[in-house]
Structures are given as C-alpha cells and as structure tokens.
Amino acid sequence: LPLADVVVVSHQDHMEAWRQAGYPVSRVREIALGVRPSSQDSRQKRQVRQALGRAIGDAKVSENAPLAVCFQKLDDLEQLSPLLLAWKEIVKRYPGARLWVFGSGSQRGALIQHVEQLDLQHRVWFPGVIESVDDLLASADLLIALQNAPVLLLRAMAAGLPVIASDVPHFRRYVSHEETGFILPPADVVTWVTAIDRVLGDPSTAQSLAHAGQQRAQAKFALEKRVEDFARLFEGLICDRDADSP
C-alpha cells in the first residue's frame, strides 16, 4: 500500500501483523469496531421467526424453542466439531433447541454429513449466507462466536443478545468472561455444554449477560464514537499534508 498515508486496523493483533510485514508502525492506526444500538422484544422475535420459517422451511423453529445462531466460515471441520458435539448434549436437555450456522466454505458438505452422523438433522442447520443479520439476531436467544466475525458479535451485544465466544484475542476485547458473556476454550466440549445450558436454562443469567453486554457495546463501541475517531484521523492527515505543502 505505497500510496496510503495510514492503514486503519480494528485490533492490536492486526497492527502487529502489519508491523511484522514490514509496514511502518507510525502509519498503522487502531480504531475499534462500532455498532448502532438496537433492541429486541418478544413480539418482534415471534414475527421474525414466523417470517424466517416461511422463507426457509427446512429451518422452522417454534416460538418458544431455544435458538442459537453462529456465523462461521465453513472451511475447517475441527473448528466446528466441538460445538456440534456440545449441541448433541444440549438437545438432550432441550429437545426443541436449534442451532443455525451461517456461512459458506469448502467443508459445508462434510459438516452436514457430520451432523447426520451425530443424529442432529433438523436440530443443526447450515443455511448459507444471510443478508438480514438484524432480523436474524432478533429471532435468536444466543449468539455463538467461534473464530470469525467480531463485528457480528458486537452487533449481537448491542441488540441485547447473550453471547458465548471462543477464547481468541479479537473476542476478548469485547467480552468479559461471566460479565458480558462467556469466553471459553475452543475445544472444551464440557465447558461449552455448561455455558450454553446456563444461558438457555437460566433466564436470570441470560438477562444479566445480555444487559451487561448491551451496556458495554453502547458505552465503548458506539458507531458515533468511531465516526468521531475517523474524523479526527482525516483532519490530522489533512493538516499533515498542508504542513508539507510548499
């Protein structure tokens, strides 16, 4: 990027990657992700579930059934396998529970076969890519984040949805364990079962996590604050250019 004055990244780890690639640290700036506040209500959840059921008949879920959603590249069977094994235990406790995993990738067919081997047909679904993320979040009871899409994790928090995330750096910035969500070892199936069970089985825990997560998203990652950050960045770049002009 020889023509760029700066490169903007959303996380410290990305800054380090640019530094290791030989890009001058002074030209890499960190600006966190930002989201708009939103909210849910029970009537909206019912309406959205009904609409999604009509649009995607294979993924019907009853009005009161627990629904978890996940956004994940489907390129690595091992990344999703612990969650699928955990879900096999979850449906024993909550027979109506459903898991929708949105995304695309080369291992989608293998994952569908794995779901069939676990006897989780109709309980786990891979619908592909969806555009109406806000409607989907409004229909769900829980967001599960494994490796991808930190902005969707943050949007779920802003919408007042409980979140459970793998313990990876770009999620730790947004989720404080047992306060604004759960941060879990990616491959620990028992821990995942316990955390999902706490959210689905204990309304007070789910509400507490959702409220704290929403407060954190709105206080520290509001879109308006990020707009101000970019405005200050652009103003500084303009001033630098003016100072360098003859």
Side-chain angles (χ1 to χ4, degrees):
L1 296 173
L3 298 181
D5 292 302
V6 297
V7 172
V8 178
V9 298
S10 62
H11 192 273
Q12 186 69 33
D13 284 358
H14 301 157
M15 185 178 293
E16 178 63 18
W18 280 100
R19 187 192 66 78
Q20 292 181 0
Y23 203 79
V25 175
S26 61
R27 293 172 61 189
V28 182
R29 310 289 176 82
E30 181 185 4
I31 296 180
L33 298 173
V35 291
R36 294 185 183 278
S38 60
S39 60
Q40 295 177 289
D41 60 54
S42 58
R43 185 172 66 176
Q44 183 184 21
K45 178 179 289 189
R46 289 196 303 271
Q47 292 173 343
V48 171
R49 286 193 179 191
Q50 290 170 0
L52 287 174
R54 290 191 296 269
I56 42 180
D58 291 341
K60 286 184 178 178
V61 58
S62 65
E63 180 179 313
N64 298 316
L67 172 61
V69 296
C70 176
F71 298 89
Q72 176 69 20
K73 291 181 180 179
L74 307 182
D75 292 326
D76 190 337
L77 182 63
E78 291 186 2
Q79 283 186 357
L80 269 164
S81 185
L83 174 58
L84 297 178
L85 292 172
W87 205 256
K88 184 174 179 63
E89 181 61 34
I90 289 298
V91 298
K92 294 177 183 177
R93 307 179 188 187
Y94 308 93
R98 297 291 184 267
L99 170 64
W100 294 354
V101 183
F102 291 86
S104 61
S106 60
Q107 295 300 305
R108 183 172 184 270
L111 285 163
I112 291 174
Q113 290 182 351
H114 190 33
V115 164
E116 293 173 349
Q117 292 167 357
L118 294 173
D119 197 25
L120 289 173
Q121 309 93 301
H122 310 299
R123 294 179 172 86
V124 177
W125 191 56
F126 299 94
V129 178
I130 190 170
E131 295 182 2
S132 184
V133 172
D134 289 336
D135 284 346
L136 180 61
L137 295 177
S139 74
D141 300 294
L142 168 66
L143 179 108
I144 294 174
L146 299 180
Q147 292 288 338
N148 307 129
V151 68
L152 294 176
L153 171 84
L154 196 55
R155 286 175 67 175
M157 293 171 63
L161 194 64
V163 299
I164 300 178
S166 291
D167 189 6
V168 293
H170 55 265
F171 291 148
R172 286 198 295 269
R173 175 169 193 171
Y174 306 110
V175 181
S176 298
H177 183 58
E178 301 250 8
E179 180 183 349
T180 61
F182 292 124
I183 290 282
L184 307 179
D188 191 335
V189 175
V190 174
T191 302
W192 277 88
V193 171
T194 300
I196 295 170
D197 186 32
R198 287 183 63 185
V199 172
L200 299 184
D202 183 358
S204 64
T205 295
Q207 292 170 7
S208 175
L209 295 174
H211 178 72
Q214 188 174 46
Q215 293 294 108
R216 178 176 174 82
Q218 294 177 355
K220 294 193 174 183
F221 302 103
L223 185 60
E224 290 77 7
K225 292 185 177 182
R226 300 293 81 82
V227 172
E228 293 172 0
D229 290 340
F230 275 103
R232 283 192 292 269
L233 173 63
F234 294 145
E235 289 171 356
L237 293 174
I238 292 170
C239 290
D240 291 343
R241 285 289 182 93
D242 290 343
D244 292 337
S245 298

